[in-house]
Amino acid sequence: MRYLFAALALIGSVAASAGATSLTQPYLDDRSDALALIRSYYNALSRQEFARAWSYWGDDKPAADFDAFEAEGQGIVSVDLVFGEVFSEGAAGSVFHQVPVAVLVTREDGGEEQSAGCVVARLANPQIQGVPFRPMHLVSDTLAPASGPPEDTLPASCEPG
């Protein structure tokens, strides 16, 4: 099963601006689709809400443990995201969404880190889930350091094969 969403779209800054505090950034927690999930994840990081950011991941976390994850996220004040076309397909009662993304992270000291790659989100069929319910969550990413205009670093596709 294949669904195609959203052509290349520049999504504004997740945080209000560099140097902003979590008190000035609006809270965003939306798992309604893969793009909203990714925006919400980076919103949590830019607000320094590491437990919330950690919760967007499924069983395979992006760090060895929560303390390492939190240490890596310290000092993030804003995140700019550019998304490509989402490729979605069903498999064994789940839908997997593969999202090309370019990420520009700005830190408190003014330093910037740019990366690009594919992010995978999963939603198990809500009609057949039991308790506890598992909302859409992040499964993996292949983000790697990048440089240049985000539109140029964005993968053309994240389709398998």
Side-chain angles (χ1 to χ4, degrees):
M1 175 185 312
R2 223 177 120 134
Y3 305 97
L4 296 178
F5 299 97
L8 177 63
L10 177 61
I11 308 304
S13 179
V14 171
S17 65
T21 67
S22 64
L23 299 176
T24 62
Q25 299 168 28
Y27 176 85
L28 176 63
D29 185 10
D30 184 349
R31 295 176 186 247
S32 60
D33 63 43
L35 299 181
L37 174 66
I38 295 166
R39 282 188 208 106
S40 296
Y41 169 69
Y42 282 106
N43 173 260
L45 288 175
S46 67
R47 289 173 52 98
Q48 305 291 292
E49 297 168 357
F50 301 114
R52 180 166 67 98
W54 184 257
S55 79
Y56 289 115
W57 287 88
D59 294 333
D60 295 322
K61 303 293 189 190
D65 58 42
F66 180 75
D67 290 338
F69 176 77
E70 183 177 29
E72 189 174 317
Q74 291 293 330
I76 294 174
V77 293
S78 69
V79 181
D80 290 307
L81 302 168
V82 176
F83 295 113
E85 189 174 306
V86 177
F87 176 80
S88 300
E89 67 180 342
S94 293
V95 177
F96 291 86
H97 307 277
Q98 300 180 41
V99 184
V101 63
V103 181
L104 177 62
V105 171
T106 303
R107 296 198 175 264
E108 289 174 336
D109 63 5
E112 294 183 336
E113 299 164 11
Q114 188 174 350
S115 59
C118 296
V119 176
V120 178
R122 174 182 180 227
L123 176 62
N125 184 339
Q127 295 176 334
I128 61 173
Q129 285 195 49
V131 175
F133 178 79
R134 292 285 307 192
M136 184 181 294
H137 58 275
L138 300 172
V139 174
S140 65
D141 73 50
T142 59
L143 297 178
S147 61
E151 296 80 11
D152 293 344
T153 64
L154 190 69
S157 172
C158 290
E159 285 187 55

